[in-house]
Amino acid sequence: FLIVFYTGLLQISDILYYGYLSGGRRVHLFLMRCSMDQEIYAKCLDVDVQFLESAAGQEKVKNAVMSIMSGNEIGVERHLAEVFNMGKNLFGLLIYSATIIRAAPFFLPFLVFQTVLVAFLHGRAGEKQAQLEKENQENLSSAMYLKTESILAQNGKDIRLYRLGKWFSSFFYQVIDKIVAVHDKEQGNVTKVEALEKLLTFGRDLLIYGYFIWRMAQGTLSVAEFLLYTGMTAGFGAWMNGLFTAYVGLLQNNTYVDAYRDFLKVEAADTGKTVKPENPGQIHEIRLEHVSFRYEGNEEDTIHDLSLTIRPGEKIALVGMNGAGKSTLVKLVYGLYQPSRGKIYLDGQDVSKLSRREYRREFAVVFQEVFAFSFPLGENVTCRREEDINRERLKECLQKADLWERVQEMEKQEHTYLNKDVDASGINLSGGELQKLMLARALYKDSPVVILDEPTAVLDPIAESSMYDKYYEMTREKTSIFISHRLSSTKFCDRILYMDKGRITEEGNHVQLMEKQGAYAYMFHTQAQYYQEDEKKEKGEN
């Protein structure tokens, strides 16, 4: 009767667990992981860009993504699964403990001790394994890098031209040897623990079976009871091991859960800031007072104690050598970065106290690195969902950007997907067309401050001249800041600021700076010389 009762109870538990709970659990854990994954990417879109670009920010993002995307057996999902496993094993353990206490209560402490000892040994082995796996991450990253680089199509010509195949292979085998050596250590630890577990289990079975056989010989235990109690004591260890294995799994995956929580604790860029600019949509005065900025990990400031006033409607050009701090300065101006020291004011309002979302509405920025998202062309221009697009305004902006006729040639016109990541029928725009797309985007936003961060760097001189004309028309009644390495394009600006090592060293219009015969004039004459040589070559070819 007891055997039938316990067997039936365990069979019902198995049916419920494997027939319903296990499958349902997997589905719910997967959906929960998807939901947490969404939270991470939503947070990425919400946190401050300066944090996101920093080494610490990148590490937090990487660890948070790893906690979710490592799969079913590692990370947050495994952590949650182990909570469920602990409950299941605890239930089985209680049933078996009740039976063992009924048969031989003095065996229970012994069984608990033996199982705890085995679980402790497994836990220590698990900790060592986790440490070894952590050590192996660098080797695994190196292997992934080598594999990725060896199959990239653009690397094929260099690998073959410079005979890098053997070089790649030798590095790859070195990395594989390191990975195998670490795995050998892991397996050695596991083997030792398993051997000791088998020895302890043998001693346990010898003692318990001997006791119950002795009771049968004395006539105080029936065959049915012998089968029941020996089965229960043997199974007790399995439940205890399962309980402690689940606990060890919880501990091992705690770091992933902590990484997920740690990233979600990062404050959003606009937390607690609700103040809006006083003159939205109007041309603004921008003032910087003793602004300095230093990138994380750098020993020196990129921007040094810089003070500057940009008057409403003024056109400013920022010029200088690479690394002078031009792009960093404009990122500070439009609120992508926050000053390490000093203040920035918009019409007298301290920018640090304004809602960044509202503040950035006042800026339209065209960057040097032009690219299109793999969405429909119209949504790329408007940055709005299909149903929220102003069609007339979209058409007007595409016409001003000289892109309307090209769009009309497309089968789906402004509904055409760009690139092929989302839609296989998507199209790829040329470099010049992408520049026009960025111009149309800035026109559609129609912000009172326009920042152009070397937007024509990839264009040829003729296309560049045409694009400058369009930008000039676009910024006619706006405050604008223009970064360029090609000084011939800065003549239309009201004021030119020459930057060197994070400082403004020369200031004035084109004529004034040429008269000074300083760094600006030297750079201009040097570039003019190259342009003249190119013209002579072209005439000679013609």
Side-chain angles (χ1 to χ4, degrees):
F1 174 80
L2 283 173
I3 292 173
V4 170
F5 172 76
Y6 281 115
T7 304
L9 188 60
L10 290 171
Q11 286 300 318
I12 292 170
S13 299
D14 278 351
I15 291 169
L16 286 173
Y17 177 72
Y18 292 107
Y20 172 72
L21 292 178
S22 181
R25 182 199 67 170
R26 284 196 298 271
V27 171
H28 286 298
L29 288 178
F30 175 74
L31 292 175
M32 186 178 290
R33 182 155 64 98
C34 290
S35 176
M36 296 168 81
D37 186 39
Q38 252 183 325
E39 283 187 283
I40 288 175
Y41 287 106
K43 191 73 174 181
C44 285
L45 297 172
D46 203 30
V47 297
D48 188 64
V49 172
Q50 187 175 334
F51 163 79
L52 207 58
E53 289 183 350
S54 68
Q58 285 292 302
E59 185 69 16
K60 281 183 183 289
V61 172
K62 183 187 79 172
N63 290 338
V65 171
M66 283 290 292
S67 72
I68 302 298
M69 301 304 293
S70 296
N72 308 88
E73 298 304 317
I74 300 176
V76 169
E77 185 171 341
R78 176 64 183 272
H79 186 274
L80 296 170
E82 296 296 13
V83 173
F84 188 89
N85 289 337
M86 283 187 72
K88 179 193 73 171
N89 284 285
L90 186 60
F91 174 73
L93 193 63
L94 291 173
I95 295 174
Y96 276 51
S97 296
T99 307
I100 292 169
I101 289 172
R102 182 175 179 274
F106 50 85
F107 274 147
L108 189 60
F110 169 73
L111 290 171
V112 170
F113 172 77
Q114 186 260 346
T115 310
V116 169
L117 179 60
V118 170
F120 172 76
L121 293 172
H122 275 291
R124 289 295 300 274
E127 288 175 5
K128 289 181 180 178
Q129 187 174 354
Q131 290 174 357
L132 289 169
E133 286 177 357
K134 192 173 182 180
E135 291 175 14
N136 223 8
Q137 282 302 314
E138 187 175 338
N139 296 327
L140 292 169
S141 297
S142 299
M144 183 58 68
Y145 167 78
L146 291 168
K147 287 194 290 185
T148 302
E149 291 298 313
S150 65
I151 63 175
L152 284 176
Q154 59 264 37
N155 292 346
K157 56 183 183 298
D158 291 290
I159 291 173
R160 285 153 182 78
L161 181 62
Y162 293 101
R163 299 179 180 179
L164 298 176
K166 290 183 179 179
W167 185 66
F168 262 86
S169 294
S170 64
F171 271 111
F172 187 74
Y173 284 120
Q174 286 176 24
V175 172
I176 292 298
D177 286 343
K178 291 179 181 178
I179 292 172
V180 170
V182 173
H183 280 303
D184 284 344
K185 287 183 182 178
E186 291 179 7
Q187 190 57 46
N189 290 332
V190 171
T191 302
K192 290 175 185 177
V193 172
E194 287 180 347
L196 186 56
E197 180 187 0
K198 295 297 182 187
L199 188 62
L200 290 170
T201 302
F202 174 74
R204 179 202 68 189
D205 291 345
L206 189 65
L207 178 64
I208 292 172
Y209 278 77
Y211 171 74
F212 285 129
I213 290 172
W214 175 77
R215 283 192 56 184
M216 282 183 63
Q218 295 294 316
T220 60
L221 193 70
S222 68
V223 175
E225 288 174 318
F226 173 80
L227 293 173
L228 175 65
Y229 296 146
T230 52
M232 286 289 180
T233 50
F236 180 88
W239 289 115
M240 280 290 289
N241 281 334
L243 184 64
F244 280 97
T245 299
Y247 177 69
V248 170
L250 277 176
L251 294 180
Q252 288 176 340
N253 289 278
N254 256 344
T255 53
Y256 292 99
V257 177
D258 290 342
Y260 166 76
R261 289 173 177 163
D262 192 33
F263 181 60
L264 290 188
K265 287 178 183 176
V266 177
E267 286 191 354
D270 251 1
T271 302
K273 296 178 180 179
T274 57
V275 180
K276 297 181 180 181
E278 292 177 351
N279 306 306
Q282 317 221 353
I283 56 175
H284 300 288
E285 177 193 80
I286 301 168
R287 189 170 81 254
L288 288 75
E289 290 188 355
H290 303 289
V291 169
S292 296
F293 178 81
R294 179 178 300 186
Y295 285 99
E296 180 193 0
N298 285 8
E299 296 181 358
E300 295 183 1
D301 290 340
T302 301
I303 302 295
H304 300 271
D305 194 29
L306 191 148
S307 295
L308 170 68
T309 298
I310 302 171
R311 296 179 288 276
E314 188 176 19
K315 291 176 173 53
I316 296 289
L318 288 177
V319 300
M321 303 295 287
N322 286 335
K326 305 183 296 295
S327 294
T328 301
L329 179 58
V330 296
K331 287 177 180 178
L332 287 164
V333 168
Y334 64 78
L336 209 59
Y337 292 169
Q338 303 305 305
S340 304
R341 294 182 301 279
K343 295 286 185 182
I344 300 176
Y345 297 92
L346 182 75
D347 298 332
Q349 287 181 282
D350 184 349
V351 169
S352 65
K353 293 180 170 57
L354 298 179
S355 161
R356 294 189 196 178
R357 189 183 301 274
E358 296 298 328
Y359 176 70
R360 289 175 188 150
R361 289 182 190 275
E362 306 303 300
F363 294 85
V365 185
V366 180
F367 299 100
Q368 177 180 350
E369 303 85 5
V370 293
F371 68 95
F373 293 107
S374 299
F375 302 142
L377 185 142
E379 293 184 26
N380 264 281
V381 172
T382 63
C383 299
R384 297 286 185 275
R385 298 296 299 167
E386 181 76 20
E387 59 272 14
D388 298 324
I389 294 175
N390 183 324
R391 297 290 163 190
E392 289 301 318
R393 188 172 165 191
L394 172 61
K395 178 180 177 180
E396 179 186 349
C397 293
L398 288 171
Q399 287 174 334
K400 287 182 178 179
D402 197 23
L403 197 59
W404 178 250
E405 290 183 6
R406 174 74 176 95
V407 172
Q408 295 307 296
E409 293 172 358
M410 300 175 186
E411 184 179 350
K412 298 179 183 178
Q413 300 180 344
E414 67 267 28
H415 306 291
T416 302
Y417 272 82
L418 299 183
N419 309 322
K420 299 183 183 297
D421 304 288
V422 176
D423 189 330
S425 64
I427 66 165
N428 296 313
L429 298 180
S430 66
E433 289 170 340
L434 282 172
Q435 291 284 358
K436 293 175 182 178
L437 186 77
M438 297 302 102
L439 172 60
R441 178 185 289 176
L443 287 166
Y444 190 91
K445 189 176 184 185
D446 193 28
S447 298
V449 183
V450 177
I451 295 178
L452 308 172
D453 189 355
E454 298 202 60
T456 60
V458 297
L459 300 182
D460 60 72
I462 296 175
E464 180 187 36
S465 177
S466 173
M467 189 61 68
Y468 280 141
D469 291 339
K470 291 182 174 62
Y471 284 136
Y472 182 75
E473 287 299 318
M474 170 188 174
T475 60
R476 187 180 292 276
E477 297 180 359
K478 299 177 183 292
T479 304
S480 60
I481 304 172
F482 181 63
I483 299 178
S484 178
H485 278 103
R486 297 173 182 174
L487 303 189
S488 58
S489 63
T490 63
K491 294 180 181 179
F492 70 85
C493 294
D494 301 317
R495 193 159 39 128
I496 300 168
L497 308 176
Y498 185 90
M499 291 190 68
D500 183 31
K501 297 180 180 179
R503 296 180 174 88
I504 296 173
T505 56
E506 295 182 20
E507 182 178 344
N509 60 35
H510 176 72
V511 174
Q512 292 169 337
L513 293 180
M514 292 300 291
E515 289 175 352
K516 285 184 179 180
Q517 291 298 304
Y520 175 86
Y522 176 78
M523 182 180 283
F524 185 87
H525 285 309
T526 303
Q527 290 188 2
Q529 178 182 346
Y530 287 127
Y531 289 140
Q532 290 168 2
E533 290 177 359
D534 288 343
E535 287 179 5
K536 288 179 183 178
K537 288 179 182 178
E538 288 178 5
K539 289 178 181 178
E541 290 173 359
N542 291 335

